[in-house]
Amino acid sequence: MSKITAAITGIHGWVPEYKLTNEELSTMVDTNDEWITSRTGIKERRILKGEGLGSSDLGAKAVEGLLKKKNIKAEEIDLIICATATPDMIFPSTACIIADKVGAKNAFAYDLMAACSGFLFSLSTASKYIESGTYKKIIVVGADKMSSIIDYEERTTCVIFGDGAGAVLLEPNEEGLGIQDAILKSDGSGRDYLHMKAGGSLKPSSHETVDAKEHYIYQDGKTVFKFAVTNMADVSAEIMERNQLTGDDIAWLVPHQANKRIIDATANRMGVGTEKVMLNIQKFGNTTNGTIPLCLWEWEDKLKKGDNLVLAAFGGGFTWGSIYLKWAY
Ligand code: UT7
């Protein structure tokens, strides 16, 4: 019997309608389109408006669209892993809520938290269940309502993030397609530079933490940039070397969309031309766990069976990694 690999066999994305443009942000904080565009590459981001809506609503939309597109019943799904840094609640998991919302009654479900690298960590985890033959249909959904943890009076972070979700279906493949290799890394000493100060067990919520604005993202942008630009490029080069790939062998680089300058540096290090880099940061900003599946969703029509893709991410933790896969359809 041939070896079973885990292949993405379907993809769908969902972003809210509301577009928060650089122009509108300029009326909220001391910033301007020129600064945001030249430093980040972002022009607008989507925001989930309305009461009582969380990351699970973004994720459920992406999963529902995926099931419909694949003509699969929700009951057929074995497992749902949700990568999110903005869960609906600390517990239960957002994956459980998504499973309930889409009617995936036979799936077990859990969240995986690795900040902006969560989608890659989840994809790698899910692939092991498939490769071992344990499960046949797994959905990995990256969903983040980043606007729920952004201080819209803080110009260094509010210009970067947006809301969105993307979901992939993972199934067994016997043609050698799908996920070929993964390199995942973390370094918790980076936690000081990108985190949320309060609301966890270390510093539970209180009037003081709210007054001190400690329930928003804190980022030391310059330091994170330095680590991101080096590590995302290094890990992408490492996975290429390990698999004897050159820039010419890569059909697409699918990078986490945190900053266009980080993406350019990664592509440059890999020897991959800009025409082979998926880039939608200008439209959606940094949707954290949504960035990579949203790229795949938008580029789905251009992908060909057998294409070599390198997925790469860097995020809070620090966490980072790359996945090499062969597109399966
Ligand atoms: O996805 C998770 C991982 N996160 C990342 O990968 C993000 C990594 N970091 C970055 O992308 C960049 O560091 C930022 C986009 C966050 C910031 O860009 P930067 O080029 O590193 O700017 P900076 O923080 O060094 O700030 C330069 C100047 C400062 O003014 P002074 O001190 O030079 O007078 C800031 O106060 O730009 C100022 N500034 C702004 N000006 C206009 C900071 N934010 C803004 C703004 N509009 N929104």
Side-chain angles (χ1 to χ4, degrees), residues 113-163:
M113 180 29 218
C116 292
S117 309
F119 185 79
L120 290 195
F121 282 38
S122 299
L123 199 57
S124 174
T125 302
S127 73
K128 305 302 172 195
Y129 287 113
I130 300 275
E131 287 165 10
S132 65
T134 316
Y135 299 113
K136 300 264 187 293
K137 283 185 170 45
I138 301 179
I139 287 179
V140 176
V141 50
D144 272 300
K145 184 186 171 186
M146 295 307 292
S147 61
S148 65
I149 56 168
I150 296 297
D151 177 0
Y152 285 97
E153 293 181 347
E154 222 286 271
R155 68 176 182 172
T156 62
T157 47
C158 75
V159 302
I160 301 170
F161 295 96
D163 302 338

Side-chain angles (χ1 to χ4, degrees), residues 25 29-36 38-40 42 115-117 146 154-161 194 219-229 232 256-262 286-288 291 314-316 318-319:
L25 276 168
V29 289
D30 181 14
T31 190
N32 55 74
D33 177 55
E34 202 281 317
W35 191 96
I36 303 171
S38 61
R39 299 289 178 124
T40 70
I42 304 167
C116 292
S117 309
M146 295 307 292
E154 222 286 271
R155 68 176 182 172
T156 62
T157 47
C158 75
V159 302
I160 301 170
F161 295 96
L194 181 50
Q219 175 170 258
D220 171 350
K222 252 191 192 353
T223 306
V224 177
F225 185 91
K226 232 178 342 189
F227 277 91
V229 88
M232 206 163 113
H256 171 52
Q257 314 275 309
N259 187 316
K260 186 172 180 297
R261 290 183 287 148
I262 298 172
N286 182 350
T287 55
T288 301
T291 60
F314 182 90
F318 293 135
T319 55

